[in-house]
Amino acid sequence: MRSHPDIAGKVLRLEYTAMSLNPNPKLYGRRSLLELFDPGQPRDRACLEAFERELDMPWALYRVRRLFLVTADGRRRPVKRSTERVDVGRPHQLSQRLISVSKRHGVDVEHDPLYGRARAWLRPRAEDWPMAEELFVTAPARVIDKQDQNFEEHWDALVSGSAAQLLLD
């Protein structure tokens, strides 16, 4: 990576974007690729600068929902997902909007002031299946809207219409 900082910048952006929407998977086991670079080391600085250039693009505010369902006999089913782009803008603008709206609704926000991401968990992941999770997050505007088949039907059935809603007004 250090021999090809521009490629490193792209890979770091891909990981950062993916981990914005789902903080659990990391490229290197328990650590993210970004955690392997030390901004105090000159050999790492070129990669981090390339990453920062990659982040200099339009960002989006996303609504991300996941369903962790079980079969009739209690076995875990594949996770169903829904990702929806809510707005597009600059990272700081979108983060400030999410922070402000979340604060008004009493929702905590995780904020990365160094690179710009903000994340508000409306419905955090629980321990036991079945469960639903829902969050709003800012990230580079590279993620397309997508939703698994029958997602809304399963969402409504699991949350019984009582899902917390963060009105982005």
Side-chain angles (χ1 to χ4, degrees):
M1 289 292 213
R2 292 175 180 107
S3 299
H4 303 282
D6 287 340
I7 294 171
K10 290 180 187 332
V11 173
L12 286 165
R13 178 191 37 84
L14 287 169
E15 179 192 53
Y16 190 78
T17 302
M19 288 182 61
S20 294
L21 278 63
N22 186 354
N24 294 323
K26 295 177 173 52
L27 285 179
Y28 291 93
R30 298 185 189 272
R31 297 180 72 193
S32 70
L33 177 61
L34 187 57
E35 292 172 310
L36 300 178
F37 288 96
D38 179 355
Q41 297 295 320
R43 64 190 187 125
D44 291 351
R45 192 65 219 150
C47 295
L48 293 171
E49 288 170 356
F51 171 52
E52 290 168 7
R53 285 191 301 274
E54 284 288 321
L55 294 179
D56 186 22
M57 63 172 9
W59 278 42
L61 174 62
Y62 297 98
R63 179 185 185 204
V64 179
R65 297 178 292 161
R66 291 183 191 85
L67 289 167
F68 302 82
L69 305 173
V70 293
T71 62
D73 61 359
R75 288 179 292 129
R76 291 180 175 186
R77 295 176 51 187
V79 176
K80 287 190 167 286
R81 297 168 175 83
S82 174
T83 304
E84 174 189 4
R85 186 181 293 185
V86 176
D87 196 5
V88 177
R90 300 303 304 161
H92 179 76
Q93 164 207 11
L94 293 172
S95 291
Q96 286 307 112
R97 178 180 175 203
L98 183 56
I99 290 166
S100 174
V101 171
S102 296
K103 186 176 181 178
R104 285 197 317 262
H105 292 277
V107 175
D108 291 331
V109 178
E110 302 165 11
H111 184 235
D112 173 8
L114 184 58
Y115 298 116
R117 172 186 54 227
R119 185 186 299 124
W121 292 92
L122 276 68
R123 181 183 296 275
R125 188 175 297 186
E127 294 291 323
D128 298 320
W129 291 43
M131 67 180 138
E133 106 181 332
E134 180 178 16
L135 63 135
F136 281 88
V137 64
T138 63
R142 293 288 182 103
V143 179
I144 61 170
D145 285 2
K146 56 190 168 198
Q147 187 173 84
D148 289 331
Q149 187 175 8
N150 301 321
F151 181 89
E152 292 298 337
E153 172 186 331
H154 290 287
W155 180 266
D156 290 342
L158 186 62
V159 301
S160 301
S162 63
Q165 292 296 314
L166 183 62
L167 301 175
L168 293 166
D169 48 6

